[in-house]
Amino acid sequence: TTSGGDGFAFVIRDDTPNAPTSASIGKGGPSLGYGGIENSIAVEFDTVYTADYNEPRESHVAIHTRGRAPNTAHSSASLATVALDGSVSTSSINDGQVHEVLITYTPNITVDDMFYYIDSGQITGLSTALSSHSADSLGIFSVYVDDLTLPMMSVPFNMESVMRNISDSTTAWVGFTASSGYLWQAVHILEWNMTFPP
């Protein structure tokens, strides 16, 4: 069982050239505040089971996008999902403990890199939704939770598949969203930073 609701997400969005405002937030409740945002990818930390979204019963971590279409927290937009059911080292994100997360994107990987990710078992929890977000030039989008040496999930992904199809679109907005329905919970982001390779 879980308590609280509904969770939060780290979101990269490129739906507007201007800074998002309070009028451009996503849907609430089980949509975790990012549902409905176009040109976005979200790493969701979902703490409540929503049967209508066809998601795991347990708290879970997932990567969601519908490319340039409005995003959704429904499992149909999940590129990868890992249920925190005891099968991975992090058994809960709803336990009141501090958890450390690392999200990485490595663009333009080689064929050898791809085979390494596959052979090492790092590409896990994939869904059929992934096929519409891959291209000739692939990167690897990885999410680490607590164990910062082995990703909880890694997916082959082309970030350009969610960016606006505008030649001068060179920026995106990043941040966090959260929402609740009938239940509530406190989510504390104690520290975060963003770095770029040299």
Side-chain angles (χ1 to χ4, degrees), residues 46-170:
D46 195 320
T47 58
V48 173
Y49 171 61
T50 305
D52 292 345
Y53 281 40
N54 195 30
E55 60 189 21
R57 285 193 166 275
E58 301 81 12
S59 294
H60 59 276
V61 179
I63 301 169
H64 281 239
T65 187
R66 292 185 64 228
R68 294 183 177 103
N71 210 342
T72 177
H74 189 279
S75 65
S76 62
S78 173
L79 302 184
T81 301
V82 175
L84 303 181
D85 56 5
S87 62
V88 294
S89 59
T90 298
S91 58
S92 177
I93 50 172
N94 204 29
D95 56 7
Q97 302 300 310
V98 174
H99 296 280
E100 194 168 5
V101 174
L102 173 64
I103 299 168
T104 64
Y105 178 68
T106 306
N108 304 317
I109 63 168
T110 66
V111 172
D112 289 340
D113 291 337
M114 179 63 73
F115 281 119
Y116 166 76
Y117 281 100
I118 293 170
D119 290 341
S120 66
Q122 293 185 39
I123 296 180
T124 59
L126 299 181
S127 79
T128 56
L130 182 64
S131 61
S132 62
H133 304 290
S134 55
D136 293 337
S137 174
L138 283 176
I140 292 288
F141 194 95
S142 301
V143 178
Y144 302 73
V145 180
D146 294 330
D147 180 353
L148 303 187
T149 60
L150 183 66
M152 178 178 281
M153 65 184 80
S154 289
V155 296
F157 182 73
N158 184 328
M159 189 66 77
E160 292 178 7
S161 69
V162 301
M163 298 294 110
R164 287 178 292 147
N165 195 11
I166 300 173
S167 60
D168 64 350
S169 176
T170 59

